[in-house]
Amino acid sequence: MTDRVSFSYAHVVDKPVPPLAHHRRDMGEPRVQLPDVVMLIVDDCTLHRENLAAMFALGAHTVPAVAWDLPSLIASLGERTPEIVLLNMGTHGSVGLLGSIRQRYPDVKVIAVGISDDDESIIVACAEAGVAGYHLRTESLDDLIKLISKVIEGESACSPRVTTILLKRLSALAAQRQPVVKEPVLTSREIQILGMLELGLSNREIADHLCIALHTVKNHVHSVLTKLGASTRTEAVALSRTVHYS
């Protein structure tokens, strides 16, 4: 038993260890080229923030700026204007930080990171603030890099689940809107004839009173009924007393 353990230990020690670079693929090195943009990473988890910043700094000309709360955010924004902001929505006060970013730089492209696809309130809040993209917790670093590339090109991107939530929100807002009531627009002659209908005058009496042809009166009466949505003269008269028309 002792010899077997010693042999195993020696075998491991004697085996050459490959350079760290050989392990980068296993450690999660992205298969998509990192974009070289002025970037700000906002995350109050130091480990996440530093790891992501280090990853984006590889081969980039500009090292990403970082922030973790409002004071550090204001300081970072004061140094340079970012092209892309990665905001972890799990950060304390993330919605307020998002508002601060949008207020200071309304044209900056913000990507909401760490979104849970069942957190509808955060997704809607991000949409209302005008974020350019969503990166879900279940998505990879490669997915984030692809998303950044799309956003840089002027696209807005989100998962099918996020799209469904936003469409539901739009439908709910549409259902809450009060229908706009269109007032019937009558000509001066139609208003005049409607007034005579209220007096109970017949088509012949209206024609004689206005010195116009009988068929012209009939056309005007038909137009009045159509615009008021009435089927009879009596109904038109009733509607004229409850509807404001111009």
Side-chain angles (χ1 to χ4, degrees), residues 18 38 48 116 143 161 163 166 169-170 177 207 225 227 242:
V38 180
H48 294 168
S116 175
D143 293 328
R161 171 60 178 163
T163 301
L166 296 179
R169 175 63 173 173
L170 288 176
R177 292 177 181 172
L225 296 181
K227 290 182 177 181
T242 59

Side-chain angles (χ1 to χ4, degrees), residues 37-167:
V37 294
V38 180
M39 183 182 300
L40 170 62
I41 299 171
V42 184
D43 193 332
D44 64 357
C45 176
T46 304
L47 178 63
H48 294 168
R49 181 177 68 247
E50 291 182 350
N51 282 345
L52 197 57
M55 178 63 69
F56 280 105
L58 291 174
H61 299 297
T62 306
V63 178
V66 295
W68 51 91
D69 56 11
L70 186 57
S72 60
L73 173 65
I74 294 175
S76 297
L77 292 177
E79 294 177 358
R80 58 182 176 177
T81 303
E83 299 173 70
I84 295 289
V85 174
L86 303 182
L87 172 58
N88 190 330
M89 297 309 295
T91 300
H92 179 71
S94 58
V95 176
L97 294 175
L98 175 57
S100 297
I101 296 170
R102 301 298 294 166
Q103 182 178 10
R104 288 175 174 268
Y105 299 101
D107 296 329
V108 73
K109 296 177 174 64
V110 180
I111 295 177
V113 180
I115 293 286
S116 175
D117 60 4
D118 59 357
D119 197 342
E120 296 190 9
S121 61
I122 291 295
I123 291 174
V124 171
C126 289
E128 292 175 344
V131 300
Y134 297 80
H135 184 265
L136 301 180
R137 294 180 184 177
T138 55
E139 294 177 318
S140 67
L141 176 61
D142 281 354
D143 293 328
L144 176 59
I145 296 170
K146 292 175 183 177
L147 175 59
I148 293 173
S149 298
K150 289 181 179 179
V151 170
I152 292 174
E153 294 298 323
E155 299 181 34
S156 294
C158 57
S159 69
R161 171 60 178 163
V162 171
T163 301
T164 300
I165 292 174
L166 296 179
L167 289 176

